[in-house]
Amino acid sequence: MAAWQVFTATLATLTIMAIAIVSLHHPHQDPDRLSVDRIRERISNERSALPVKAGTDTAKTLSATSAWSHLAPDHPLDVSEAHRAMQQHRRCPVAECARKAAAFRALVEAGRIKPTRMPPAMQ
């Protein structure tokens, strides 16, 4: 191999290594990406925005009516509440989660879901 070929190959290798190192030191940040603090703040705001019934113990009401709870809701869900419950409990099986079962039932009754077969818990 000629000296100029060795020199060119070495220069090319060093250039590629320099580009790789520079790209590692200056990671590109996605401006639309939420930070952990913003996500925590959003979750906190959503939980504090839950309705509290007058004349009842606040902590008991929040834990019993929490949309994140798997307990059955204390009132029939309307379509928007049912959609939200289905989204929040998307990983829950209908047979095991009373809130998702109530939401599923409300959406079926409203004609928003047309199941080919009803889950065993709903029959």
Side-chain angles (χ1 to χ4, degrees):
M1 207 182 229
W4 67 271
Q5 291 174 325
V6 172
F7 175 75
T8 305
T10 304
L11 187 62
T13 304
L14 290 175
T15 303
I16 292 171
M17 289 176 57
I19 291 171
I21 291 171
V22 168
S23 69
L24 291 176
H25 284 288
H26 300 289
H28 301 284
Q29 293 186 358
D30 185 6
D32 297 328
R33 187 173 175 190
L34 293 175
S35 67
V36 173
D37 293 331
R38 294 226 10 232
I39 293 170
R40 285 182 182 152
E41 178 184 346
R42 183 174 150 192
I43 291 171
S44 174
N45 290 340
E46 287 176 357
R47 288 188 179 170
S48 65
L50 291 173
V52 179
K53 294 182 181 179
T56 59
D57 181 28
T58 305
K60 183 179 177 183
T61 303
L62 282 177
S63 66
T65 62
S66 172
W68 297 101
S69 169
H70 298 286
L71 301 175
D74 56 355
H75 63 283
L77 297 176
D78 63 16
V79 174
S80 63
E81 289 176 319
H83 277 295
R84 177 175 287 228
M86 290 293 282
Q87 290 169 353
Q88 291 171 334
H89 295 269
R90 67 183 172 272
R91 295 178 191 254
C92 299
V94 174
E96 296 175 15
C97 180
R99 185 165 297 269
K100 185 171 183 176
F104 187 86
R105 191 175 306 110
L107 292 174
V108 168
E109 290 170 1
R112 298 294 181 99
I113 294 178
K114 294 184 178 31
T116 55
R117 66 173 186 83
M118 290 297 280
M122 305 296 294
Q123 295 176 355

